[in-house]
Amino acid sequence: MAEPDYLEGDCDELIQPKKLINPVKSSRNHQDLHRELIMNQKRGLAPQNKPELQKVLEKRKREQVIKAQKEEQEAHKKRSDLEIELMKRQQKLEQLELEQQKIQEEQENTPEFVKMKGNLRRTKQEAGGEEQAT
């Protein structure tokens, strides 16, 4: 920038130049936006002007890292043979209990004369079995 050929205190008669006012910077909206950007930058929330491709690649990378962490956790959580056998036995017991409950429900839903007929057959078979044994 060129230096003026006069000294500051030399001539009082000269008109001192004033800095022009920028209408954009003096607007209220611009001041609010500038203040908000400064606050966000201090907090570390600066706006990200990344291209869409870069965002997608970062998202994929994050998902891969998360997937790898989950696989590691599952590897650490592998069950021992004893735990697997215990789980199988527990499932078998639960299935047997469900079957017994179904049988009981069926018996409760059957009519009374069918139950009596079954009881008569049992007593008849028991009586026949005792005669053969003696």
Side-chain angles (χ1 to χ4, degrees), residues 43 74 128:
R43 291 184 202 154
E74 288 177 7

Side-chain angles (χ1 to χ4, degrees), residues 45-123:
L45 302 174
Q48 296 182 358
N49 297 327
K50 296 180 183 178
E52 188 174 345
L53 179 62
Q54 188 175 0
K55 289 179 184 178
V56 170
L57 291 174
E58 287 177 358
K59 183 178 178 182
R60 282 187 185 172
K61 189 174 182 179
R62 267 187 266 122
E63 288 175 354
Q64 287 176 351
V65 169
I66 291 171
K67 187 177 179 181
Q69 289 175 349
K70 285 183 181 180
E71 288 176 357
E72 277 184 37
Q73 289 175 351
E74 288 177 7
H76 289 294
K77 289 183 179 181
K78 277 191 175 178
R79 295 184 176 140
S80 66
D81 293 337
L82 176 63
E83 288 177 308
I84 293 171
E85 288 298 319
L86 290 174
M87 292 294 289
K88 287 180 183 177
R89 287 185 183 185
Q90 183 180 4
Q91 289 175 352
K92 286 180 183 177
L93 288 174
E94 289 174 356
Q95 287 176 353
L96 288 174
E97 288 177 5
L98 287 174
E99 289 175 5
Q100 288 177 353
Q101 287 178 353
K102 287 179 184 178
I103 291 171
Q104 285 179 347
E105 288 176 2
E106 288 176 4
Q107 288 178 356
E108 291 174 0
N109 293 337
T110 57
E112 187 68 27
F113 69 91
V114 175
K115 292 179 186 177
M116 294 304 294
K117 187 176 180 182
N119 288 341
L120 289 174
R121 284 185 185 163
R122 280 189 215 123
T123 54

Side-chain angles (χ1 to χ4, degrees), residues 5-71:
D5 54 349
Y6 59 86
L7 297 174
E8 290 182 19
D10 206 16
C11 293
D12 293 332
E13 299 172 1
L14 292 176
I15 299 172
Q16 297 292 327
K18 293 183 181 178
K19 192 171 184 179
L20 294 175
I21 299 172
N22 187 349
V24 174
K25 288 188 176 181
S26 64
S27 72
R28 184 74 179 158
N29 288 339
H30 179 77
Q31 290 173 357
D32 291 341
L33 179 63
H34 185 65
R35 188 176 306 119
E36 184 177 343
L37 287 172
I38 290 173
M39 292 299 290
N40 285 341
Q41 187 176 10
K42 286 181 182 177
R43 291 184 202 154
L45 302 174
Q48 296 182 358
N49 297 327
K50 296 180 183 178
E52 188 174 345
L53 179 62
Q54 188 175 0
K55 289 179 184 178
V56 170
L57 291 174
E58 287 177 358
K59 183 178 178 182
R60 282 187 185 172
K61 189 174 182 179
R62 267 187 266 122
E63 288 175 354
Q64 287 176 351
V65 169
I66 291 171
K67 187 177 179 181
Q69 289 175 349
K70 285 183 181 180
E71 288 176 357

